Amino acid sequence: MATGLPKTDAQNPRLHFDIYAILEGAQELYLGHEVQVNVNLVEMVKLTTKDGESLDKCYLSPTKRRGVERRCLLWAPVKTGELLGDKQECGIPKTCAKPDCPICGSYGALDPGKRTLIGRVTHGGGVAVQAIYPVEKQRAMHPALLVNQKDETPIPFKREYNQPGILYPVSNHALSVTEKEFASVAYAFLDSLPRIGSGNPKGVAIAESENQMPLLVLDKYLVPRGKRPIISPSVTNPETAIEDFIRLARTPESNSDHIQATYFDRWIGDAALEKLREYSSLFVETFLQA
């Protein structure tokens, strides 16, 4: 059975792309999971480490990151004054599911009863490094609500927050996409970083090593090579996590920030960030400023 994707040519080949990063919360971060009595909870995962220790860790859900990235594309401003989602007649829940849509083409979509477009971008990781529990905090009600509730008792409003400085190893994988299609993924990844979270404050940053190298890797390949810089959920020490990330990123061993092999390219640190910015600019020039 055919995939339904348009055929490309040698001038516009399909490739695989991977983004690996360690993200850091610069402040308290709330990314909602569920609500208990008067308390909004953040998402946690339970795990048993290689040493048999049971842990609860904060979690930056890959599916929620994916949702923020899609929203960044839907709300990207086009030079005509429209938002990209309005220009493409593509939104949530009524996505257009057209293969040539710069949003659905990579992220997939469902037009109920008509067509389904399988997404070729998958998201992974998100288990925090440090075993730091979220903290529940009281948030004041808006004064206007207090005035309007003279006959009612105001209900205390509490919310859990992941604490500042937590590291979250994450990854995005794009399967068989052209460079133009990956440009959407690069734009969405970079643009979503300051917007991740529900409510305020929002945002994460790409963490850096001791020598100010962004903990970021970009792979472009037909043949998977090297080691994938994925941090074990058993790791709880930030220094160990960063050392593991850099060691795996530089395998095969190299002092260069650009590793080249047959049908394989890897960019590390600032080189990876610059390459992602190049693809992000390609998206802007092709779909927002064209």
Side-chain angles (χ1 to χ4, degrees), residues 28-33 40-42 159-162 197-199 201:
E28 297 170 324
L29 183 67
Y30 169 70
L31 199 64
H33 178 48
N40 294 4
L41 304 180
V42 300
R159 177 174 283 174
E160 278 188 352
Y161 290 91
N162 296 355
S198 311

Side-chain angles (χ1 to χ4, degrees), residues 76-88 287-290:
V78 182
K79 75 172 185 179
T80 57
E82 302 167 285
L83 299 183
L84 184 61
D86 294 333
K87 180 187 175 187
Q88 296 292 135
F287 298 106
L288 304 184
Q289 295 295 312

Side-chain angles (χ1 to χ4, degrees), residues 187 277-290:
Y187 177 91
R277 285 171 176 162
E278 282 181 26
Y279 282 115
S280 182
S281 296
L282 175 63
F283 169 80
V284 171
E285 292 163 4
T286 306
F287 298 106
L288 304 184
Q289 295 295 312

Side-chain angles (χ1 to χ4, degrees), residues 159-171:
R159 177 174 283 174
E160 278 188 352
Y161 290 91
N162 296 355
Q163 294 306 287
I166 296 182
L167 302 180
Y168 305 93
V170 300
S171 56

Side-chain angles (χ1 to χ4, degrees), residues 1-230:
M1 183 177 177
T3 63
L5 295 173
K7 185 180 177 182
T8 60
D9 54 41
Q11 304 301 316
N12 191 31
R14 295 190 186 280
L15 300 159
H16 308 309
F17 293 84
D18 294 338
I19 301 171
Y20 301 96
I22 296 183
L23 306 180
E24 180 179 28
Q27 69 287 304
E28 297 170 324
L29 183 67
Y30 169 70
L31 199 64
H33 178 48
E34 58 185 30
V35 179
Q36 288 188 347
V37 178
N38 297 337
V39 184
N40 294 4
L41 304 180
V42 300
E43 193 160 2
M44 302 278 290
V45 290
K46 290 182 179 292
L47 63 129
T48 302
T49 68
K50 295 172 182 174
D51 300 330
E53 183 183 6
S54 295
L55 293 174
D56 290 329
K57 284 189 171 185
C58 292
Y59 191 48
L60 197 62
S61 165
T63 54
K64 290 170 185 168
R65 276 202 308 116
R66 180 186 182 87
V68 176
E69 290 181 9
R70 182 188 284 272
R71 193 160 63 241
C72 287
L73 293 174
L74 290 170
W75 291 357
V78 182
K79 75 172 185 179
T80 57
E82 302 167 285
L83 299 183
L84 184 61
D86 294 333
K87 180 187 175 187
Q88 296 292 135
E89 297 182 345
C90 179
I92 297 174
K94 177 88 175 56
T95 47
C96 70
K98 296 175 183 173
D100 61 351
C101 171
I103 307 165
C104 298
S106 301
Y107 282 75
L110 171 66
D111 191 354
K114 295 182 180 177
R115 66 181 124 190
T116 300
L117 187 62
I118 302 299
R120 281 168 291 146
V121 180
T122 54
H123 295 65
V127 178
V129 172
Q130 303 97 317
I132 299 176
Y133 290 100
V135 174
E136 189 178 296
K137 298 198 174 182
Q138 177 78 49
R139 286 294 180 252
M141 296 181 70
H142 194 282
L145 293 178
L146 292 174
V147 171
N148 293 331
Q149 293 186 355
K150 289 181 179 176
D151 299 329
E152 299 176 17
T153 302
I155 300 173
F157 171 59
K158 292 185 178 180
R159 177 174 283 174
E160 278 188 352
Y161 290 91
N162 296 355
Q163 294 306 287
I166 296 182
L167 302 180
Y168 305 93
V170 300
S171 56
N172 288 14
H173 308 280
L175 173 70
S176 292
V177 297
T178 64
E179 293 203 308
K180 190 181 290 184
E181 288 171 332
F182 180 71
S184 300
V185 182
Y187 177 91
F189 176 79
L190 292 176
D191 196 49
S192 69
L193 296 180
R195 312 180 204 290
I196 287 175
S198 311
N200 281 292
K202 290 179 185 291
V204 293
I206 298 172
E208 294 188 339
S209 66
E210 277 188 355
N211 58 356
Q212 284 79 50
M213 183 189 85
L215 299 173
L216 179 68
V217 169
L218 171 64
D219 285 352
K220 180 178 78 170
Y221 60 95
L222 284 175
V223 179
R225 297 182 186 275
K227 291 188 176 180
R228 301 169 67 202
I230 292 179

